[in-house]
Amino acid sequence: MKLFKFFGSVKKEMKLVVWPTAKENRRDTWTVIATSLMYAIFFAVVDWGLVALLQQFVMGSK
C-alpha cells in the first residue's frame, strides 16, 4: 500500500513541474556545449604548456 501512495504522490508532484520550453532547452544546450568547449581548450593549452615545461626540465636545454 505504501508503494501506491508513493506513486500517487509522485504523480501529483509531476503535475506541478514547470517544464522548460523548446527555446530554453536550445539555449541551455548551447550553453553546455560552449562551456564544454571552453574547458576543453583551456585544459588542452594547460596540458600543452606543462608538457613543454616538463620536457625542458627533464631534457634540459639543447
Side-chain angles (χ1 to χ4, degrees):
M1 285 311 218
K2 286 184 180 183
L3 190 60
F4 290 117
K5 188 176 180 182
F6 170 74
F7 282 116
S9 113
V10 168
K11 184 177 179 181
K12 196 158 106 176
E13 282 294 320
M14 289 301 287
K15 289 181 181 182
L16 299 175
V17 173
V18 178
W19 297 100
T21 64
K23 185 177 179 179
E24 290 170 330
N25 272 337
R26 279 192 300 277
R27 182 197 64 208
D28 294 344
T29 299
W30 283 113
T31 301
V32 169
I33 290 170
T35 303
S36 298
L37 285 173
M38 287 189 319
Y39 274 108
I41 292 168
F42 171 76
F43 285 116
V45 169
V46 169
D47 180 57
W48 175 79
L50 287 174
V51 166
L53 184 68
L54 287 173
Q55 281 179 343
Q56 285 293 338
F57 184 70
V58 172
M59 301 290 197
S61 305
K62 289 185 177 183

